[in-house]
Amino acid sequence: MTEMKFATKTIHAGQQPDPTTGSVMTPIYQTSTYVQDSPGNHKGYEYSRTGNPTRNTLEDNLAALENGKYGLCFGSGLAAVDCIIKLLKPGDEVISTNDLYGGTYRIFTKVFEKMGIKFHFTGMDKLENIESLVNSNTKMIWAETPTNPMLNIIDIKSLAEISKKNQLIFVVDNTFATPYLQRPLDLGADIVMHSLTKYMSGHSDVVMGAAICKDEKIAEELYFLQNSCGGVPGPQDAFLVLRGIKTLHIRMQRHCENGKIIADFLNNHPKVNNVYWPGFESHFNHDVAKKQMHDFGGMVSFDLISNKLKDAIKLVSSTHFFALAESLGGVESLIGHPASMTHAAIPKVEREKTGVVDSLIRLSVGIEDVEDLIEDLDKALNKIS
Ligand SMILES: *Cc1c(COP(=O)(O)O)cnc(C)c1O
């Protein structure tokens, strides 16, 4: 059989009817351990930290979606980050972006810096910033694209070239894009990391993470760390993510359609100043986005003409369908205020350098009827000065 295409993979990759019952859906193997006929003589499973059939099915599905060979799941996106950074040792250095997801920034600077790993943060949308930071201790490049909350686009292929030239491990956090929009391994990345909590599971009902790679040696090290450190998810959650992924392609298609309409609406609204969305031709790296992404996604950020904190707070507290909440990527629309929520720990001068001003608002545009979403935003915008 020829290789499955993307939408077929979301539904079928790694999955077959259960051989003992014919169950079409992957069973939830709610067990910690597996019987052995004699010591070491078993059916491939010994203990559920090491391997569980429900989790392994999801891991195989993820590997297929990212065009990788090996998939590993973790109890959260940050547990996946934790495992990947443990490939390094004290003295090693990592180059990353200066508008990284806040939780990733926190584990890098507050947990791993203490253990002797050094992190550099730079504007990765400009490639010349990166090469100047590479030295003999550099071991890893960690990128995220589109970035949060500014929706900057980083050129994956060019970063992969820098990475190869300097023999670095190149990791891409693909949470915002998902493999529906971009597949970093095809563009030369070594490891793809996910918070499955977001678009991949898609229904705001589970917290989980993943790492996917093609290289056998990296995979072996990651499997060793996954089993040794033990941050694995349970089978119930693995089932939920498997079910969510079955509609990834149609959800993403609608997220993108709605995202475009909302971005255009905001761009023409008299109370809105900048709108950040990689689909605009005026976006700084629109050409790169067009090249490496299949579409532009449902994340849209904007700030207000007034740029007043109180206006932003009033706006995010006034919407009805856009629920004020952390997270993103669910079927329902969410609204957030980075300066007081996700980026509250970053000093004002620092956050403003990257565009996170007092009135910046981030939308995770859901898959509701877009007319309802626009009416909701318009009403809320008209309540502010
Ligand atoms: C949410 C998120 C994470 C962390 O994942 P959790 O599942 O919350 O631990 C990492 N990176 C990005 C881009 C995220 O949005």
Side-chain angles (χ1 to χ4, degrees):
M1 209 172 83
T2 53
E3 226 217 314
M4 285 181 264
K5 295 190 173 53
F6 189 80
T8 312
K9 279 185 190 174
T10 64
I11 298 163
H12 295 287
Q15 295 160 72
Q16 47 274 310
D18 176 48
T20 55
T21 61
S23 162
V24 167
M25 293 305 295
T26 304
I28 301 167
Y29 287 92
Q30 193 73 52
T31 187
S32 62
T33 190
Y34 307 83
V35 72
Q36 312 196 3
D37 293 333
S38 58
N41 183 5
H42 52 72
K43 295 184 166 62
Y45 292 95
E46 290 178 312
Y47 187 60
S48 278
R49 169 162 33 72
T50 319
N52 174 284
T54 317
R55 185 182 96 217
N56 294 156
T57 300
L58 172 60
E59 292 175 331
D60 290 347
N61 180 263
L62 293 169
L65 291 177
E66 287 287 2
N67 289 342
K69 276 196 191 154
Y70 309 97
L72 299 95
C73 288
F74 298 89
S76 68
L78 281 173
V81 177
D82 179 63
C83 182
I84 295 168
I85 296 297
K86 283 174 179 159
L87 293 169
L88 306 176
K89 58 179 190 327
D92 287 350
E93 298 189 12
V94 180
I95 302 171
S96 191
T97 77
N98 63 0
D99 58 351
L100 198 61
Y101 172 75
T104 308
Y105 180 79
R106 183 176 56 203
I107 192 174
F108 283 1
T109 56
K110 297 277 197 292
V111 179
F112 283 111
E113 230 156 52
K114 226 169 46 186
M115 298 180 181
I117 297 167
K118 192 168 169 187
F119 296 88
H120 302 271
F121 301 96
T122 186
M124 280 190 165
D125 48 355
K126 298 187 188 70
L127 291 171
E128 56 276 18
N129 291 347
I130 299 158
E131 288 217 86
S132 66
L133 291 169
V134 177
N135 65 54
S136 60
N137 292 325
T138 311
K139 292 289 150 58
M140 185 178 276
I141 294 184
W142 187 290
E144 200 178 290
T145 179
T147 65
N148 174 42
M150 298 313 299
L151 287 315
N152 287 324
I153 297 293
I154 291 168
D155 185 340
I156 297 176
K157 211 167 168 185
S158 301
L159 274 192
E161 279 159 20
I162 296 174
S163 210
K164 288 242 153 44
K165 196 167 92 189
N166 296 285
Q167 293 177 298
L168 312 176
I169 301 172
F170 178 29
V171 186
V172 176
D173 180 339
N174 206 24
T175 301
F176 268 42
T178 83
Y180 173 83
L181 293 178
Q182 81 193 2
R183 292 191 275 278
L185 297 178
D186 288 350
L187 301 170
D190 298 300
I191 302 175
V192 167
M193 178 252 139
H194 273 287
S195 169
L196 302 173
T197 313
K198 316 293 168 53
Y199 286 108
M200 295 294 278
S201 61
H203 297 74
S204 307
D205 52 7
V206 62
V207 173
M208 201 187 293
I212 299 116
C213 66
K214 275 203 251 194
D215 181 81
E216 191 181 347
K217 201 175 143 278
I218 292 178
E220 265 173 24
E221 286 184 56
L222 288 174
Y223 282 125
F224 173 80
L225 288 165
Q226 182 194 37
N227 187 43
S228 301
C229 301
V232 294
Q236 293 262 3
D237 281 353
F239 173 86
L240 282 174
V241 178
L242 268 171
R243 185 167 75 164
I245 287 176
K246 286 177 192 291
T247 55
L248 175 68
H249 51 298
I250 49 177
R251 284 188 285 109
M252 288 307 291
Q253 189 181 345
R254 180 63 73 86
H255 282 297
C256 292
E257 287 165 12
N258 284 0
K260 179 184 186 327
I261 295 168
I262 299 272
D264 285 336
F265 160 76
L266 291 169
N267 214 19
N268 291 316
H269 200 285
K271 297 208 172 140
V272 173
N273 189 20
N274 302 292
V275 182
Y276 301 96
W277 181 66
F280 288 135
E281 271 172 35
S282 58
H283 182 285
F284 175 72
N285 258 347
H286 175 71
D287 289 343
V288 179
K290 234 166 85 176
K291 211 169 53 185
Q292 73 186 17
M293 297 172 77
H294 163 72
D295 205 338
F296 302 108
M299 298 301 298
V300 182
S301 294
F302 63 100
D303 53 24
L304 303 172
I305 295 272
S306 76
N307 198 27
K308 282 190 192 137
L309 182 69
K310 74 167 185 20
D311 285 340
I313 302 280
K314 184 156 186 193
L315 175 62
V316 300
S317 315
S318 309
T319 48
H320 174 68
F321 293 120
F322 280 91
L324 177 62
E326 308 254 356
S327 200
L328 60 112
V331 290
E332 67 290 318
S333 293
L334 298 180
I335 192 165
H337 181 243
S340 67
M341 294 166 77
T342 49
H343 289 59
I346 303 171
K348 185 174 154 102
V349 279
E350 284 304 311
R351 67 169 159 80
E352 288 195 334
K353 274 188 213 158
T354 61
V356 185
V357 296
D358 282 349
S359 73
L360 188 81
I361 286 158
R362 190 193 77 177
L363 302 178
S364 172
V365 178
I367 63 172
E368 299 96 336
D369 275 306
V370 75
E371 294 81 1
D372 291 333
L373 298 180
I374 285 180
E375 191 186 323
D376 190 26
L377 285 174
D378 196 38
K379 268 192 193 149
L381 277 163
N382 289 331
K383 281 189 190 151
I384 61 171
S385 57

